[in-house]
Amino acid sequence: MKALVKCVKEVFASFRKRGVWATLQILVPEVLFDWRYGTDTFSLVDSQNLSGFPEDLKQFTAGYQGANSLLFKKTMALVAKKRGKSFQEDTFIDYGCGKGRALLMATDWGFKRIIGVELSDTLCEVAEENKRIFAKKRPHTTPIEVVQCDATQYEVPKDANVFFFFNPFRGQILQTVLEKVAAQAPKGSVFVYLNPTEPEAFEQRGLKKFGQVQLSRANVDALVYSL
Ligand SMILES: C[S@@+](CC[C@H](N)C(=O)[O-])C[C@H]1O[C@@H](n2cnc3c(N)ncnc32)[C@H](O)[C@@H]1O
């Protein structure tokens, strides 16, 4: 019930911020994703209801919400255009992958590897189930790995170079993760930040902004950085 109320509130906030037309453009693909693949990525999970989460970490996250497919597509298209090459040598890591919607959408971009890091045990189970359902419709796409782990503890794979953050956590957790990733990732690595609430954390790590995506004039919906 709480999740439904949150969802309705977000829709009304978007009406006020972006207007009705822009909100519908965002909302329709949101609903269509699960309808198309039979997955379960739409329903929100409030931070207080994240199972397997230590209490002291809940304050740093707003919980689960899947990345919007229109925003994801536009952001990845911007990254692809700016880099001017395909992703076939690249490894995509979603920090806080939740039910795995961004992981599933990343399969459209021809990555060599796709990895999701998620702390909640039940969300990892849902992501695994979504992987299985999705693979039936898309049997030949890049296999997806889901790792159950606190993002601050995750060892960055040597070949990882596209790092995706859909506002997964904030404050000290975000800073610790960015410090670790920026210290270990190869030069030229890309950092995608959807619904950016703390861009200064990225700038403080010396990351250079190279693009942004706006679904309406009212709001910056994604920022893209390189190392
Ligand atoms: C807004 S959701 C993003 C979902 C997914 N990335 C997508 O775009 O479809 C943020 C996710 O980050 C996870 N999260 C928050 N703090 C975390 C942490 N310290 N370690 C790993 N995952 C975390 C939450 O459980 C939640 O599923």
Side-chain angles (χ1 to χ4, degrees):
M1 189 60 187
K2 257 186 177 175
L4 181 67
V5 172
K6 191 177 171 200
C7 202
V8 172
K9 275 186 181 167
E10 282 197 13
V11 171
F12 277 99
S14 181
F15 278 155
R16 281 193 295 275
K17 193 161 70 180
R18 303 183 170 97
V20 175
W21 175 239
T23 299
L24 288 178
Q25 275 188 305
I26 296 166
L27 200 58
V28 171
E30 187 76 41
V31 178
L32 287 186
F33 187 87
D34 284 344
W35 179 77
R36 187 170 169 199
Y37 296 108
T39 46
D40 162 22
T41 65
F42 181 68
S43 51
L44 311 181
V45 181
D46 197 69
S47 59
Q48 290 313 311
N49 295 322
L50 288 170
S51 84
F53 242 77
E55 284 303 316
D56 59 332
L57 284 185
K58 287 183 177 175
Q59 60 181 305
F60 295 102
T61 179
Y64 170 76
Q65 178 178 7
N68 182 268
S69 55
L70 177 67
L71 178 58
F72 187 86
K73 207 174 189 173
K74 285 192 176 223
T75 308
M76 291 308 296
L78 172 79
V79 175
K81 191 174 167 197
K82 295 254 181 189
R83 290 172 85 227
K85 58 175 181 169
S86 77
F87 294 107
Q88 61 187 12
E89 298 300 319
D90 301 316
T91 295
F92 176 96
I93 310 246
D94 180 3
Y95 276 95
C97 70
K99 299 182 183 183
R101 191 194 287 172
L103 301 176
L104 304 180
M105 295 190 293
T107 62
D108 280 340
W109 295 87
F111 284 99
K112 184 182 68 176
R113 286 176 80 192
I114 296 174
I115 303 169
V117 181
E118 172 58 54
L119 182 51
S120 160
D121 51 3
T122 46
L123 290 181
C124 283
E125 282 166 22
V126 178
E128 290 290 356
E129 183 59 15
N130 282 332
K131 262 172 56 178
R132 276 190 286 278
I133 294 166
F134 190 78
K136 283 188 199 148
K137 298 218 168 164
R138 299 271 199 92
H140 304 298
T141 47
T142 316
I144 295 169
E145 302 158 52
V146 175
V147 182
Q148 190 190 344
C149 173
D150 173 7
T152 61
Q153 304 302 314
Y154 181 63
E155 282 312 316
V156 188
K158 284 201 166 55
D159 60 352
N161 61 343
V162 178
F163 301 97
F164 180 81
F165 298 82
F166 169 27
N167 203 12
F169 28 71
R170 49 188 176 248
Q172 192 53 54
I173 304 295
L174 180 62
Q175 286 163 27
T176 305
V177 170
L178 288 176
E179 189 176 358
K180 193 168 178 175
V181 180
Q184 295 180 21
K187 201 162 169 38
S189 291
V190 173
F191 291 66
V192 174
Y193 189 25
L194 257 55
N195 285 22
T197 54
E198 295 183 22
E200 61 284 355
F202 288 71
E203 283 142 28
Q204 280 158 10
R205 296 266 67 86
L207 299 169
K208 301 269 174 293
K209 182 180 150 191
F210 76 85
Q212 67 179 43
V213 177
Q214 292 188 240
L215 295 180
S216 70
R217 264 185 289 172
N219 201 42
V220 174
D221 295 287
L223 291 170
V224 185
Y225 299 91
S226 70
L227 183 64

